[in-house]
Amino acid sequence: MNLPELQPKIFQEFHHILRQGKLSHAYLFSGNFGSFEMALFLAQSQFCENKQDYLPCGSCRECRLIAERDFSDVKVIEPQGNVIKTDTVRELLRDFSRSGFEGQTQVFIIRDADKMHTNAANSLLKFIEEPQSSSYMFLLTSDDSKVLPTIKSRCQIFRFSKNEAYLQQKLESQGLLKDKASLIAAVAEDEEMAEALADMGKFDDIWRSLDRFVGSLLKSPEQSFLQATYIASVAGEKFEQDLAFKIMLVLLAKDRNPEAATKVYQARQMWLSNVSFQNALEYMVLR
């Protein structure tokens, strides 16, 4: 992943921070588009033996081990199921009190930080308020509004917005037609998801059927009611159904139809509340 192209502004900001030797001890990265890769990159910058202009080389032993998540002094914490347990964070904090295996520096990366149990999040406050000079923490979340205000107020916040132009250009360079590359770039959350959608065998079928469905929804609702059954049979998996809602919103945005987009959003909220996908679509049509 090419961070200077993926997040050029943030990359330049951190390059300046590294040059000045002013990397803070606690950061909150909001958004999934390159945030984890940036956290690993900054971890590499603290251990790399062959830095060039204060940037890690990416190829030395330390850089390779960190990229492979096999470096003892860089720890990555992820949810177990839908929660990061308090015991997991307490074990992390115990590691803070020990010296690093490779030196004095330690880096801790917590993915989906919004999924920390409240007690776990509160346990981090002491470190963030009284950090050790050689320890760094990166909290990653897709939505910083879900992170405790007490945590947010003590971290430097960087927002990793999606770079659609980068995604579309990359997909087109891989041979995708412009309209498909544009749609995938609009619905994908990150580069990994974009590549998965490009390789997804059912993507074209779902896309084309939704294109017809949206056209009927705007011009001939009685036909779209019948098409809802077919779409439900094509998009049988949860991931495919969520994708279908996202595609509909993108298509309606192109038609500049906020009223219909609102109905799609409401149908998606019903689906998230365990209404069946087909029933949510049919309710949307009847509305």
Side-chain angles (χ1 to χ4, degrees), residues 245-284:
F245 283 119
K246 292 177 181 177
I247 290 175
M248 281 189 281
L249 288 171
V250 172
L251 295 175
L252 287 168
K254 290 181 179 179
D255 287 330
R256 298 182 180 180
N257 194 318
E259 184 179 353
T262 298
K263 291 181 173 64
V264 173
Y265 176 79
Q266 292 170 342
R268 183 174 185 272
Q269 294 304 112
M270 292 175 60
W271 173 74
L272 290 172
S273 300
N274 293 322
V275 174
S276 75
F277 181 59
Q278 182 173 337
N279 286 347
L281 291 180
E282 292 173 346
Y283 176 81
M284 180 181 68

Side-chain angles (χ1 to χ4, degrees), residues 27-287:
Y27 287 93
L28 177 62
F29 288 172
S30 181
N32 295 326
F33 206 74
S35 57
F36 180 60
E37 290 76 12
M38 180 62 77
L40 289 178
F41 179 81
L42 293 172
Q44 289 172 329
S45 74
Q46 301 306 301
F47 297 96
C48 178
E49 295 293 333
N50 300 310
K51 283 185 275 192
Q52 302 170 11
D53 193 17
Y54 299 93
L55 300 178
C57 69
S59 57
C60 67
R61 169 186 171 271
E62 288 78 5
C63 285
R64 285 186 284 105
L65 288 175
I66 291 171
E68 295 166 4
R69 296 170 60 173
D70 194 26
F71 191 74
S72 56
D73 290 335
V74 176
K75 295 180 173 61
V76 179
I77 304 299
E78 298 180 278
Q80 297 177 342
N82 291 318
V83 67
I84 297 176
K85 298 179 180 179
T86 304
D87 288 345
T88 302
V89 173
R90 286 175 178 166
E91 177 62 29
L92 173 73
L93 295 174
R94 281 194 288 271
D95 287 337
F96 274 126
S97 63
R98 308 175 189 137
S99 297
F101 291 97
E102 305 276 346
Q104 295 299 313
T105 303
Q106 291 176 294
V107 176
F108 299 86
I109 301 170
I110 301 181
R111 306 185 75 174
D112 295 318
D114 52 283
K115 294 182 179 179
M116 280 190 292
H117 189 278
T118 302
N119 292 338
N122 286 329
S123 298
L124 289 178
L125 288 175
K126 183 175 181 180
F127 164 78
I128 296 174
E129 292 172 342
E130 303 174 10
Q132 297 181 20
S133 60
S134 55
S135 295
Y136 302 92
M137 181 174 290
F138 298 93
L139 306 177
L140 279 53
T141 178
S142 59
D143 184 358
D144 61 273
S145 67
K146 297 178 181 178
V147 177
L148 286 180
T150 49
I151 295 288
K152 289 176 62 176
S153 65
R154 291 163 174 80
C155 295
Q156 290 201 28
I157 301 176
F158 280 79
R159 290 184 168 84
F160 288 72
S161 57
K162 184 168 67 173
N163 188 338
E164 282 192 29
Y166 169 86
L167 276 184
Q168 181 172 340
Q169 182 179 17
K170 181 168 184 179
L171 292 169
E172 288 183 33
S173 70
Q174 295 174 353
L176 268 68
L177 295 176
K178 185 175 181 179
D179 57 348
K180 182 175 181 179
S182 175
L183 178 61
I184 290 178
V187 299
E189 296 178 0
D190 52 36
E191 190 170 2
E192 183 180 358
M193 182 176 176
E195 292 177 352
L197 292 177
D199 294 333
M200 181 179 173
K202 294 174 67 175
F203 183 86
D204 284 0
D205 197 7
I206 293 174
W207 167 28
R208 298 303 181 189
S209 61
L210 287 169
D211 195 30
R212 291 190 295 270
F213 177 72
V214 168
S216 297
L217 190 67
L218 300 177
K219 298 176 182 178
S220 180
E222 65 278 2
Q223 291 184 15
S224 62
F225 190 89
L226 297 174
Q227 291 171 356
T229 302
Y230 175 73
I231 293 172
S233 68
V234 173
E237 302 294 329
K238 280 281 188 181
F239 168 77
E240 296 167 348
Q241 293 167 3
D242 192 36
L243 175 64
F245 283 119
K246 292 177 181 177
I247 290 175
M248 281 189 281
L249 288 171
V250 172
L251 295 175
L252 287 168
K254 290 181 179 179
D255 287 330
R256 298 182 180 180
N257 194 318
E259 184 179 353
T262 298
K263 291 181 173 64
V264 173
Y265 176 79
Q266 292 170 342
R268 183 174 185 272
Q269 294 304 112
M270 292 175 60
W271 173 74
L272 290 172
S273 300
N274 293 322
V275 174
S276 75
F277 181 59
Q278 182 173 337
N279 286 347
L281 291 180
E282 292 173 346
Y283 176 81
M284 180 181 68
V285 173
L286 291 173
R287 285 289 304 276

